[in-house]
Amino acid sequence: MLLNIISKELKRVFSDRRLVISTFVIPAISIYVLYSLMGNMMGNVLGDIERHTSIVYVSNAPQSFSNYFDTVKDTYNMEVDFGDYDKNEFTERIRSGEVDLLVEFEDQFDAKVASYSDSNQSPEIMTFSNPSEDYSNEAKNNFVFDILEGYEKEILTDRFGNINYVKAFDVDATNQESAILDEKKAAASGLGMIVPMILAIILFAGAMGIGMDTIAGEKERGTMATLLLTPIPRETIALGKVIGLGIVAIISAACSFGAIIASLPNMLSSFGGEGVGPIGLSFSILQYVQLFVIMITLVGIYVGLICLISVRARSVKEAGTYMAPIYMIIMIAAFSTMFSKSGGVALYKFAIPVYGSVTAIKEMFSFELSLMEFGVTSGVSIIVTAIIIKLITKTFNDEKVMFNA
Amino acid sequence: MIEVKNFTKIYHLSKKQMKEQKLKASQKVAVDHINFIAKEGQIFGLLGPNGAGKTTTLRSIATLLNPTKGEIIVQGFDVTKNPTEVRRRIGFLTNELKLDTHFTPAYTMSFFGKLHSMSAKDIDSRTEELFEYFGIKDFANKKISDLSTGMMQKLSIAVSLIHDPEVVIFDEPTNGLDIITARAVTDYLQKLKERGKLIIVSTHIMTVAEKLCDKVAIIIGGKKVADGTILEVLNQTNATNLEDAFFELYKENVGEGV
Ligand SMILES: Nc1ncnc2c1ncn2[C@@H]1O[C@H](COP(=O)(O)OP(=O)(O)O)[C@@H](O)[C@H]1O
Ligand SMILES: [Mg+2]
């Protein structure tokens, strides 16, 4: 019975050229075009970053570092000034982008490294950069992950004869002011933050049009009552509609997702920025499964909401009126995840429907989604979907809504 | 058998409906304590002017609306307590029930047949029979939206009867049909009666009722004012035809202002 209803819903959509084009083809094409354009833009920026000579100031550098740097400096496109600099003076210059990076070594650095043992504090190197500036970011990444890493290896081999032995120093262990941010810019940086959001919105948009058309339209055209006269339990009808529309939404999202993948070569190189991992290539199986589950459960909420509204509305037009604010709320929930920094998101936020799912996808892209957070998000979505299906069933039995009586 | 006992339906009106219907009260008693019994092998007619409460009564028998008071028993099953069993046994036809015009007649028949748990074989033979009778055969695989209005109406009758129900409920059977289709429909209802089905129809056209019905109940303003065989109603009102009988009853119950 359930299968009959689902298959009818699918046949309805897939045999209608107008619906196929508006649900699957147009969104996919627009995403491909949009992302390719974005990718090209980002690509241009990236090439520019590579050509840019980083302006770096190193304060209080020990002899061992200047010696090490001399041996590697030719590999970096970096203009480094050694000296004794006041951090406060540099804050504004870094924020404005005039200087890309300030590095400050602790006093007596060499001596402290020499006497360092597990029992006392390791010496610290502090860096100050602006994560919202691509140049600054690039300079910091090069300096910390390449130069300082190499420097540390050299110290360790020199002092201990074994690079795996212990660490020689900390970078920014106590430094609270490492990131000198321009808040607004920081929030918007990184395409990886935008992808989950766009995904969340296209999923809804894809299901919305078709849901209104097939369900509110069915009621408006009088075909729903025919269905309600059959001896099929209302629950089955509700579930069949939700699953049918869910499949459509997922296929629609898959088309859009395929478009994202297709545009990936244009933009893979352009993923950068704080806490944003490369997309697509380095995901583990577990992460793909998580992404799939989060998306499916999110689709459950979406499709449930769309069905519920469409069933309650008297006409497609009325459904559209009710749908607009819901669409707004979904967009706001999706957009607002942009302003949360990745990592360290409070657990309760994952329990907020929609918002939690988008946050989870975002955290997943930056490899910071814990199993607990994943569980909370998907669990809440499943519960919400179940409640909505219950409400749809109730609506089918509500003669005031179904027959205006 | 359909037993309607003390059936009352009160609609709760929204503010908008109150304005539209120019009513002060927020409630509308559409049907007021009516009783009747309809039996197998009979065509039972529910007669009355527009707004009398005919559609409300038939929809309640068909489980689409819940009685406010009283009870309705169809083939031994209560419409509120056991709606699924009632739905298995009835075919409900009305102009307001529509089919999705995107599909073909053949697919629509098979879809509803499956929802009535019919086997593919039964669906095929039943479809064949109904399409033959209503002349839909040549259009079986066309899109419903390409059919003429009359053909669409005949198709929705065929769809409602796919499961060969014991009880056929038909709201205004000849409304909106051309003269030939209307005749095909009333002839089919006679045929069903001969096969021992229970048929209940509503109409405001007394001449249709006179030809078609074995028993009638006349309702005016939600109240039953007469019932019985056509002859019994004529005798009660000293009239020679059903239309005169109706106006006699109307005068008695509403007043002279016809
Ligand atoms: N959904 C509804 N909400 C409120 N009032 C209704 C509704 N349906 C019918 N009515 C009112 O109930 C009365 C009976 O209507 P109906 O059963 O459709 O009559 P009939 O079919 O005999 O013309 C009418 O006065 C009508 O205005
Ligand atoms: Mg009516």
Side-chain angles (χ1 to χ4, degrees):
Chain A
M1 286 304 147
L2 185 60
L3 286 181
N4 278 331
I5 299 199
I6 296 173
S7 88
K8 188 211 109 190
E9 294 296 314
L10 294 181
K11 188 179 157 82
R12 177 71 188 84
V13 173
F14 285 101
S15 61
D16 190 328
R17 197 173 335 144
R18 184 179 60 87
L19 290 180
V20 168
I21 289 176
S22 70
T23 316
F24 305 111
V25 180
I26 292 181
I29 291 178
S30 28
I31 282 176
Y32 179 77
V33 170
L34 194 72
Y35 273 41
S36 295
L37 281 178
M38 262 157 93
N40 283 337
M41 267 156 53
M42 297 293 268
N44 290 341
V45 172
L46 212 72
D48 184 40
I49 292 170
E50 274 156 14
R51 263 173 270 117
H52 169 78
T53 306
S54 305
I55 313 290
V56 179
Y57 286 79
V58 179
S59 186
N60 211 7
Q63 194 56 45
S64 62
F65 181 75
S66 342
N67 293 345
Y68 171 76
F69 186 72
D70 274 342
T71 66
V72 298
K73 70 177 176 202
D74 291 340
T75 33
Y76 299 99
N77 188 3
M78 210 177 255
E79 189 190 309
V80 180
D81 282 302
F82 290 96
D84 212 349
Y85 306 107
D86 177 15
K87 184 216 132 198
N88 295 329
E89 211 176 279
F90 273 80
T91 310
E92 203 37 56
R93 295 173 73 185
I94 291 173
R95 196 195 308 278
S96 71
E98 183 196 329
V99 171
D100 294 324
L101 177 68
L102 172 67
V103 180
E104 203 173 271
F105 282 81
E106 204 174 317
D107 279 340
Q108 315 264 303
F109 188 82
D110 274 343
K112 281 182 183 159
V113 168
S115 67
Y116 165 68
S117 72
D118 286 342
S119 58
N120 56 26
Q121 281 265 300
S122 54
E124 183 175 3
I125 302 169
M126 297 191 183
T127 68
F128 302 92
S129 65
N130 183 348
S132 64
E133 287 287 343
D134 291 323
Y135 293 158
S136 180
N137 227 355
E138 174 85 358
K140 179 187 163 168
N141 286 342
N142 280 337
F143 205 94
V144 174
F145 296 119
D146 267 22
I147 301 178
L148 287 183
E149 195 108 310
Y151 172 53
E152 185 169 36
K153 278 181 191 162
E154 195 179 83
I155 296 178
L156 291 174
T157 359
D158 274 6
R159 301 285 147 87
F160 308 102
N162 179 354
I163 57 166
N164 297 320
Y165 189 47
V166 276
K167 59 177 178 172
F169 53 77
D170 279 322
V171 177
D172 293 328
T174 63
N175 184 7
Q176 307 281 336
E177 297 157 274
S178 171
I180 298 166
L181 270 186
D182 192 336
E183 287 292 344
K184 266 185 250 126
K185 265 197 198 161
S189 82
L191 208 51
M193 295 197 172
I194 302 173
V195 172
M197 193 186 78
I198 292 185
L199 210 57
I201 293 172
I202 56 173
L203 268 177
F204 189 81
M208 184 173 69
I210 220 150
M212 292 196 308
D213 215 88
T214 58
I215 296 171
E218 186 150 12
K219 207 172 144 192
E220 188 176 353
R221 291 187 288 267
T223 56
M224 186 72 96
T226 317
L227 202 56
L228 294 180
L229 272 168
T230 61
I232 303 297
R234 266 51 170 158
E235 286 79 7
T236 311
I237 300 177
L239 204 61
K241 296 260 172 210
V242 168
I243 294 176
L245 187 55
I247 293 173
V248 169
I250 287 165
I251 295 175
S252 161
C255 290
S256 304
F257 208 73
I260 294 179
I261 302 284
S263 60
L264 218 54
N266 293 330
M267 73 171 194
L268 188 63
S269 58
S270 54
F271 273 94
E274 170 115 324
V276 176
I279 201 172
L281 298 178
S282 49
F283 278 3
S284 67
I285 305 276
L286 175 69
Q287 281 173 311
Y288 276 117
V289 172
Q290 285 183 336
L291 181 61
F292 185 72
V293 172
I294 296 170
M295 292 214 331
I296 294 271
T297 52
L298 180 62
V299 163
I301 297 187
Y302 280 178
V303 168
L305 273 179
I306 292 167
C307 287
L308 183 61
I309 290 172
S310 302
V311 170
R312 297 200 72 91
R314 238 161 296 185
S315 63
V316 177
K317 210 171 132 212
E318 194 177 307
T321 317
Y322 296 154
M323 207 70 81
I326 302 279
Y327 194 24
M328 284 297 291
I329 291 171
I330 302 271
M331 294 238 263
I332 290 168
F335 272 116
S336 58
T337 59
M338 263 185 21
F339 301 103
S340 71
K341 270 185 78 76
S342 9
V345 178
L347 189 62
Y348 79 88
K349 289 195 177 165
F350 289 92
I352 304 171
V354 183
Y355 179 88
S357 303
V358 185
T359 307
I361 298 177
K362 195 182 125 194
E363 294 288 286
M364 217 205 70
F365 279 178
S366 55
F367 300 93
E368 294 188 66
L369 181 67
S370 73
L371 273 179
M372 181 70 179
E373 292 164 346
F374 167 71
V376 168
T377 299
S378 350
V380 165
S381 298
I382 291 170
I383 293 169
V384 172
T385 307
I387 293 173
I388 296 174
I389 291 181
K390 197 90 213 137
L391 288 176
I392 297 173
T393 307
K394 255 189 119 138
T395 307
F396 277 147
N397 284 323
D398 184 339
E399 56 182 44
K400 185 96 205 151
V401 177
M402 297 315 293
F403 301 101
N404 191 24
Chain B
M1 187 162 73
I2 297 177
E3 297 156 85
V4 175
K5 300 179 196 161
N6 271 323
F7 166 61
T8 300
K9 180 68 189 177
I10 301 173
Y11 289 113
H12 298 270
L13 305 179
S14 65
K15 292 236 162 62
K16 199 169 148 219
Q17 283 174 316
M18 283 164 68
K19 229 184 242 160
E20 277 167 5
Q21 301 189 17
K22 299 196 179 71
L23 289 173
K24 291 255 159 52
S26 66
Q27 291 194 337
K28 162 84 196 173
V29 182
V31 181
D32 195 357
H33 292 91
I34 64 170
N35 293 281
F36 63 82
I37 289 177
K39 290 184 178 151
E40 282 81 1
Q42 282 184 352
I43 298 182
F44 187 95
L46 212 50
L47 316 183
N50 280 338
K54 305 182 295 293
T55 299
T56 303
T57 306
L58 294 187
R59 282 184 170 188
S60 301
I61 295 173
T63 75
L64 293 178
L65 299 177
N66 283 318
T68 313
K69 271 186 238 157
E71 56 179 5
I72 300 176
I73 314 285
V74 179
Q75 304 294 82
F77 295 100
D78 188 298
V79 291
T80 30
K81 293 185 197 123
N82 232 327
T84 307
E85 291 305 321
V86 174
R87 282 178 207 134
R88 275 188 222 289
R89 291 165 175 78
I90 61 166
F92 182 46
L93 298 89
T94 135
N95 284 330
E96 288 125 72
L97 293 178
K98 302 270 163 56
L99 303 171
D100 192 331
T101 57
H102 178 76
F103 296 117
T104 64
Y107 177 80
T108 308
M109 292 296 271
S110 108
F111 174 67
F112 282 100
K114 283 181 202 153
L115 293 189
H116 280 285
S117 310
M118 292 169 72
S119 71
K121 202 174 127 260
D122 287 350
I123 293 174
D124 281 351
S125 61
R126 193 71 192 139
T127 301
E128 170 82 23
E129 182 192 330
L130 288 163
F131 279 12
E132 176 77 51
Y133 184 86
F134 288 110
I136 306 173
K137 251 184 147 173
D138 294 343
F139 308 92
N141 293 306
K142 288 219 157 56
K143 256 181 139 186
I144 296 178
S145 54
D146 294 336
L147 305 186
S148 68
T149 319
M151 193 66 72
M152 262 191 232
Q153 283 163 332
K154 286 191 276 186
L155 175 64
S156 50
I157 295 169
V159 168
S160 311
L161 299 177
I162 177 80
H163 55 302
D164 200 11
E166 299 158 29
V167 175
V168 175
I169 306 164
F170 209 147
D171 195 8
E172 307 275 1
T174 54
N175 236 17
L177 298 184
D178 69 78
I179 181 163
I180 297 167
T181 316
R183 186 57 183 250
V185 169
T186 49
D187 283 354
Y188 195 75
L189 292 178
Q190 295 286 2
K191 219 177 105 171
L192 288 173
K193 177 178 101 174
E194 281 154 27
R195 285 177 47 204
K197 307 279 180 191
L198 191 170
I199 296 126
I200 177 165
V201 300
S202 79
T203 183
H204 62 276
I205 307 165
M206 297 305 147
T207 48
V208 170
E210 197 157 15
K211 274 199 206 121
L212 196 62
C213 301
D214 304 300
K215 285 185 97 175
V216 296
I218 298 177
I219 47 175
I220 294 174
K223 291 198 171 71
K224 188 179 80 175
V225 295
D227 71 347
T229 61
I230 307 252
L231 205 62
E232 281 166 359
V233 173
L234 294 183
N235 287 341
Q236 265 178 52
T237 49
N238 289 321
T240 50
N241 64 50
L242 203 54
E243 198 164 295
D244 289 346
F246 170 74
F247 282 112
E248 204 51 51
L249 289 162
Y250 193 85
K251 262 188 268 172
E252 257 174 54
N253 290 278
V254 183
E256 297 287 333
V258 179

